[in-house]
Amino acid sequence: MTHPYTSLPEKAFWKPAVADQSPFDIDELWQPKFAVNPESAVVTFGSCFAQHIGRALSARGYNWLITEQAPETLPADRIKDFNYEVFSCRTGNIYTASLLEQWVDWAMGNRHIPNEVWQQDSRYIDPFRPRIEPNGFETADELMCARNYTVRRFKRAIKKADVFVFTLGLTESWFNIPGLHRAGKRYEYPMCPGTIAGTFSDEQHKFINQPFQDILKRLRSAIDKMRKMNPALKFILTVSPVPLTATASGNHVLTATMESKSILRAVAGQLARNHDHIDYFPSYEIINAAPFQGMFFETNKRNVTAQGVNFVMDQFFKAQTRTFGTPGEVTPLEAARKKPKEKAKPAKTEEAADDVVCEEELLAAFGDKP
Amino acid sequence: MKIGIIGNSHVAALKLGLAEAMKSNNHVSSADITFFAIPGLRFGSFDVRDGKLKSDNRDALKMLKRTSGGHDHIDPKGFDLFILHGLELQFVYRMVRNKFVSAQAADLCMPDIFRSTLSFSVYQKLLTITDSPIMLSPCPMKADNAPHRGLFTTPMSNPVIDYDRFVRALERQLERDIDGVIPQPAASRTPNLTTKTEFSEGSARLLRPSRIHEDDDFCHMNSDYGTLWWHELENKLDDILATAS
């Protein structure tokens, strides 16, 4: 007698696929829909965990596309302080689907970029990227120039990428609400005003714990808009395994975390099921599932260890290799030889060329003889 | 006061503007000025030997003799002041053109940019052989009508990064209190971080008529610029002499 389960592969059964395995041998957690080759231009945005994906791609010689490069001579140990090479451009963390859509709308010119800035002592903090610049900007004008520039680089990332990796982080969000704040439409902050900087206002700022349907709608909308700019763009969604730092939902932070992550996981799953150009990579499960017994968390039970990140990314590259036969890894030497597409060229200065061209002028000024 | 001006092709404007400047600048007119000018980057071939700057590069020596009145090396003895003019030291266009760099980041980036220039290389060498003050004088900014808008005169993306900030960053890199910076004269600058067109026009007439630069030189300046530059130096000399006394 046969039934549908008799023909299923081993990975479909808990005992052989999980219970009988060492956690490190649990395999085939992901069946990628499309190939990510070392040549594919991959951009990464989203919640904190997305930062690891970009670095892992880069370390393995993949083409992590960075559209907002650090200035050439910025000291290497300060690059991260200025949030270069954290995501593909300096958006800062994009925790929610609605915040992603906000950035997409700014890039497309669909939505006005608010002119709100937060002043702290004599410095200026960007409400949409509160930690983007150490100690904030010198002036509000400088801040706005910086923000507008990043919006343009974000647009470039969308247009130039082959694959857009987005890590969903939160359902809880903070908005500036137009009904309460007369000017302009509502917009979203990545952080509650007043926590890192700014001033919280009961009248102006509203907490919304976004439900499944809203997040699904916003994420689908953001993806559709990006595909209008770049019809070939593919998406890999992940859910950050990092628990909430705090919740404003009124629930215990642990249950709020589980609810939030479950909703995000369901949204990502639903989109991936319904669209060929959207895939879901289970980094969340690899870190959080019970068989891994929390071994990939640091002692604060929140931050993911380097070992955990490596394990997750190994799964990513192994799955790609298994499915498409593409090189999952390149040697460090090969990685060093590869040049990221938009790295600034260490060009010789133009002034030297000018001088060579014009050297006769000097001699003429002094006449022909000593 | 004996002044040695070390530089490259940009020294031409100073040389040509000197006569006019001497009419109205007391310190400058009474100074004993020697030019040590070699076009391009050939000053890179000079090393410190026996307490002097010397080179084995025949082209460089030939040009040094021509511009200095016969010297085949630079002996710092007897000089009260050295000025390094041009020699790749210029406003940080390349760092800020076509992209946003914050003022904080720019402040961190500029030292490496300065230190990679020929000007700083010569400065470091001079420091080992003279106790006299050394002043750095950047190349003039590109003329405002330069056509290479994407290269030199792209509108700056950060309103906070201006010429004064560049000069302050440069001053912070000097190794001694007695050293200083001679900024491009304010009257020659535009708000676009360029040089007013009038100071670039006419520089072609400095050449033999048959070998004019046509209209494609936007980085070298004319004698009017040179005159203005000497005024700037005159003000600096007031400070230097006041300190010395």
Side-chain angles (χ1 to χ4, degrees), chain A residues 73 123 133-134 136 138 142 145-146 149 347-351 354-355 358-361 364 366-368, chain B residues 8-9 39 42 66 88 90 94 97 99-100 102-104 109 142 158 160 165 206 208 211 217 220:
Chain A
T73 52
R123 307 288 294 185
E133 183 79 7
E138 276 193 23
E142 186 189 32
C145 287
Y149 181 72
K348 184 57 188 167
T349 54
E350 292 82 2
E351 58 271 29
D354 291 339
D355 287 337
C358 298
E359 59 187 43
E360 278 192 73
E361 177 159 14
F366 283 88
D368 293 328
Chain B
N8 54 3
S9 53
R42 293 182 185 86
R66 193 158 155 185
E88 289 192 295
Q90 71 159 330
R94 200 153 60 92
R97 72 172 183 235
K99 62 185 174 190
F100 177 86
S102 71
Q104 268 189 106
C109 292
K142 309 302 169 191
N158 187 341
V160 177
R165 188 176 203 100
L206 302 173
R208 286 166 288 177
R211 300 289 304 274
D217 185 307
H220 293 92

Side-chain angles (χ1 to χ4, degrees), chain B residues 2 15 63 82 93 95 113 134 226:
Chain B
K2 192 171 180 187
K15 166 79 173 170
M63 292 174 188
F82 282 101
Y93 288 109
M95 183 180 72
I113 295 173
I134 304 168

